Amino acid sequence: MSGSNGRSLGRRTFVLGSAAAAGTAALAGPLATSASAASFGWSDDGSNYVVDTGASLVFKVSKTNGDLTSLAYKGTEYQGYGGKNSHVESGLGTSTVTIAQSGSTILISVAYGTLKHYYAARSGENNVYLWTNKADDSVTATRYIVRVQAGLFLNDEPDSYTYAPTVIESADIFEKSDGQTRAKHYSKLRVMDYNYIGWTTGSVGLWIVRSNHEKASGGPFYRSLLRHQSADGGGLYEILYYGENQTESERFGLQGPYVIAFTDGGAPSSSLYAGTLTTSWADSLGISGYVSASGRGRVAGVGISGRDTAYAYTVGLANSAAQYWGSARSSDGYFSIAGVLPGTYTLTVFKGELAVYTGSVTVTAGTTTTLNTIAIASSNDPSNASAIWRINNWDGTPSGFKNADLMTYAHPSDVRASSWTGNVVIGSGTETSSFPCYLWKDVNSGIIVYFKLTAAQAAAAHTLRIGVTTAYANGRPQVVVNDTWTSAVPAAPTQPSTRSLTVGSYRGNNNTFTYSVPASAWLTDTGSYNTLKIYVASGSGTTSFLSAGTSIDAIDLLA
């Protein structure tokens, strides 16, 4: 056994700027650890560095490419399916791999070109701590995948099950014999909704505890791969950058720590969560790009006025180098975001997922930037505008529309989906629930909204608004009123260029289309229904659910 006691590491708390998922703290369970950690240390078996954590976990890292080749907990091997190791991306290739021990910490460093990756173990803990520093785009995307052997955990997460009999889209979306769909993309969760992902048998739990994603892209509402299971094994993901339906440019720099954690069957300890993780022991390890707590600052806001208290509000900080977010307190809008790298950030307040305020804030290391009450102007929330009628409320999501919840974990063709067609009558009481969350040129373009106007309303011009949250293949709405007035085709706003609506994500760039409808377009007979037909305009896309499409936030006709 190699390694010896080293220098004592300085103590400090590394507080990360991420809001904890509601309710997860209550699930926290104990970590299995050793009282003596007498076997803590490392050895070299010729091909791998072998790390014994001194608890119940022994893991191996390849000296050739930095892959995690073994993950043995209480004598059971968990690593590996399909002959594949656990690793960054799909494996880095030949790398420079070194190991060092400093007291109660062992650090394995992997250098692959400009990318650096790290594994750390702490004496007496059943955890593997990981960091990844990506300096440029020489590695196309950044993820870490833990590949888990088949049969060790029940497939009790059916909507993350990947492989099924029939491929229905792009070789990665499948249909079962009962018509339900599966894909590794479907997770239900936004980044801000979870602290960890994994499985448990009741006596053993295997988890990835996510990092604070400060160098990731996409913001708090981004959805991406989390886990999948199949006949040949399972995968747990930490997605640090993924291009699918991505709204931001890639950020570079050190991401982590994120943690592979074994437990006695409970959830991972809340002490590992991104908002509470203490890594003072890592300050002196020489990790490339590492910034200690003393090099970070905090932003605190005393409150937010002008909120709609029926909605949750999130405050985000973002610049080209980093991103952070925190939840605003429901009672008064107070927020605090700690562990922020120094710099000037765009501060955005979101009602649900709709930006209703933007400003600027500068963060200085070692200090708290305190902001006075942020006032959301009434005009910044489109829900405040007086409307003749409105379908759904404005919150930046399609929540409430038909099939909206299902679409975060199923394909639109799924047997569980209600019909994508069907028209809507204002005043029926089911306007929102009967209106489809997504519109496609080749599926349900031409949805009709029926509504009546008073004589005074019909005598005036009105503004029609349609809010969208993303679009595929430049899909955008064009409208026809009473088959006599047709709007121009609006310009396509900037949206992600990849799949979105079929891979479980409506999160793109929110945009509001406005149409000035003249008084001459309305029916003068107040007893008759006016008709609004909404078409999807675009020459891009292919067919069916991959034709041009868009996700709807809200639709209203202003008074």
Side-chain angles (χ1 to χ4, degrees):
M1 193 71 66
S2 302
S4 61
N5 290 333
R7 62 189 181 278
S8 175
L9 299 178
R11 295 188 60 80
R12 61 99 181 157
T13 299
F14 187 25
V15 182
L16 303 179
S18 174
T24 52
L27 299 174
L31 287 171
T33 59
S34 167
S36 63
S39 59
F40 177 73
W42 64 272
S43 61
D44 184 339
D45 70 3
S47 300
N48 306 279
Y49 290 122
V50 183
V51 177
D52 188 330
T53 65
S56 300
L57 175 63
V58 178
F59 65 92
K60 298 180 182 181
V61 175
S62 168
K63 294 167 57 180
T64 301
N65 57 19
D67 283 3
L68 187 67
T69 60
S70 176
L71 199 58
Y73 178 68
K74 294 185 177 180
T76 298
E77 180 62 65
Y78 285 83
Q79 149 58 38
Y81 69 77
K84 298 178 180 180
N85 296 324
S86 300
H87 41 220
V88 176
E89 266 310 281
S90 297
L92 294 176
T94 302
S95 305
T96 300
V97 184
T98 58
I99 190 168
Q101 182 172 343
S102 178
S104 58
T105 303
I106 294 171
L107 182 72
I108 297 175
S109 303
V110 181
Y112 176 76
T114 60
L115 186 145
K116 295 178 172 60
H117 180 71
Y118 303 91
Y119 301 90
R122 293 280 290 162
S123 177
E125 295 185 10
N126 291 315
N127 305 318
V128 183
Y129 297 84
L130 303 95
W131 290 261
T132 305
N133 189 335
K134 183 178 177 182
D136 53 42
D137 60 4
S138 57
V139 175
T140 54
T142 314
R143 69 176 182 182
Y144 194 91
I145 178 170
V146 178
R147 302 186 188 272
V148 183
Q149 290 191 25
L152 295 175
F153 297 99
L154 292 175
N155 183 16
D156 57 354
E157 299 293 338
D159 292 313
S160 66
Y161 183 87
T162 302
Y163 306 117
T166 305
V167 178
I168 60 172
E169 183 178 303
S170 193
D172 61 4
I173 299 178
F174 305 85
E175 184 179 73
K176 295 174 61 180
S177 58
D178 63 2
Q180 292 192 15
T181 54
R182 300 289 187 265
K184 63 184 179 181
H185 304 284
Y186 301 148
S187 66
K188 294 187 180 181
L189 301 176
R190 307 168 300 177
V191 175
M192 68 178 291
D193 294 332
Y194 70 96
N195 288 307
Y196 56 87
I197 197 75
W199 301 294
T200 180
T201 65
S203 59
V204 175
L206 172 55
W207 318 93
I208 281 188
V209 184
R210 72 164 176 85
S211 68
N212 72 333
H213 282 222
E214 72 179 356
K215 295 290 185 177
S217 299
F221 314 125
Y222 188 67
R223 284 180 167 88
S224 193
L225 290 69
L226 293 181
R227 62 184 164 195
H228 76 270
Q229 287 177 290
S230 61
D232 59 354
L236 298 178
Y237 297 86
E238 165 74 335
I239 298 296
L240 302 174
Y241 177 77
Y242 197 62
E244 194 121 87
N245 206 36
Q246 182 58 252
T247 59
E248 294 184 296
S249 299
E250 185 172 9
R251 294 181 173 92
F252 299 109
L254 183 69
Q255 301 210 60
Y258 49 104
V259 187
I260 302 171
F262 281 92
T263 72
D264 59 3
S269 170
S270 59
S271 65
L272 299 177
Y273 296 173
T276 57
L277 179 59
T278 299
T279 53
S280 55
W281 48 267
D283 286 3
S284 303
L285 296 180
I287 294 172
S288 175
Y290 183 91
V291 179
S292 66
S294 63
R296 297 168 177 269
R298 184 171 76 101
V299 176
V302 300
I304 302 172
S305 64
R307 293 173 297 118
D308 181 339
T309 56
Y311 291 86
Y313 283 72
T314 301
V315 179
L317 305 177
N319 62 20
S320 61
Q323 61 170 8
Y324 307 90
W325 57 82
S327 297
R329 193 161 61 193
S330 59
S331 60
D332 56 9
Y334 168 84
F335 63 91
S336 177
I337 304 173
V340 181
L341 293 172
T344 298
Y345 294 84
T346 297
L347 182 152
T348 305
V349 177
F350 298 93
K351 169 196 172 186
E353 298 182 17
L354 182 68
V356 292
Y357 173 90
T358 57
S360 180
V361 61
T362 298
V363 179
T364 304
T367 64
T368 296
T369 301
T370 302
L371 304 177
N372 294 324
T373 297
I374 293 173
I376 300 173
S378 178
S379 59
N380 284 358
D381 184 345
S383 296
N384 292 329
S386 178
I388 297 171
W389 53 259
R390 177 170 291 139
I391 305 176
N392 215 0
N393 202 4
W394 295 80
D395 69 351
T397 82
S399 178
F401 282 126
K402 184 166 62 174
N403 295 326
D405 180 64
L406 180 66
M407 288 303 95
T408 62
Y409 60 95
H411 190 269
S413 66
D414 195 289
V415 68
R416 292 168 290 180
S418 299
S419 172
W420 288 103
T421 58
N423 301 319
V424 175
V425 179
I426 299 299
S428 64
T430 61
E431 296 91 339
T432 298
S433 61
S434 60
F435 195 99
C437 62
Y438 298 164
L439 300 177
W440 289 272
K441 186 174 184 179
D442 202 34
V443 175
N444 56 353
S445 183
I447 287 283
I448 304 174
V449 179
Y450 294 91
F451 59 97
K452 293 181 178 180
L453 297 176
T454 66
Q457 291 166 342
H462 296 285
T463 296
L464 174 76
R465 302 187 301 184
I466 301 178
V468 304
T469 70
T470 196
Y472 176 70
N474 289 324
R476 65 270 199 197
Q478 183 182 25
V479 301
V480 176
V481 176
N482 291 322
D483 292 326
T484 60
W485 182 87
T486 301
S487 73
V489 176
T494 300
Q495 296 288 4
S497 59
T498 60
R499 287 180 298 165
S500 55
L501 307 180
T502 60
V503 293
S505 178
Y506 58 77
R507 178 72 277 131
N509 295 313
N510 286 92
N511 186 76
T512 300
F513 295 94
T514 60
Y515 311 83
S516 299
V517 184
S520 59
W522 311 123
L523 299 180
T524 56
D525 178 4
T526 58
S528 298
Y529 281 103
N530 290 267
T531 59
L532 168 69
K533 295 181 180 179
I534 305 174
Y535 294 91
V536 177
S538 174
S540 303
T542 55
T543 60
S544 188
F545 296 109
L546 288 179
S547 63
T550 190
S551 170
I552 306 298
D553 176 12
I555 305 170
D556 57 23
L557 184 68
L558 299 186

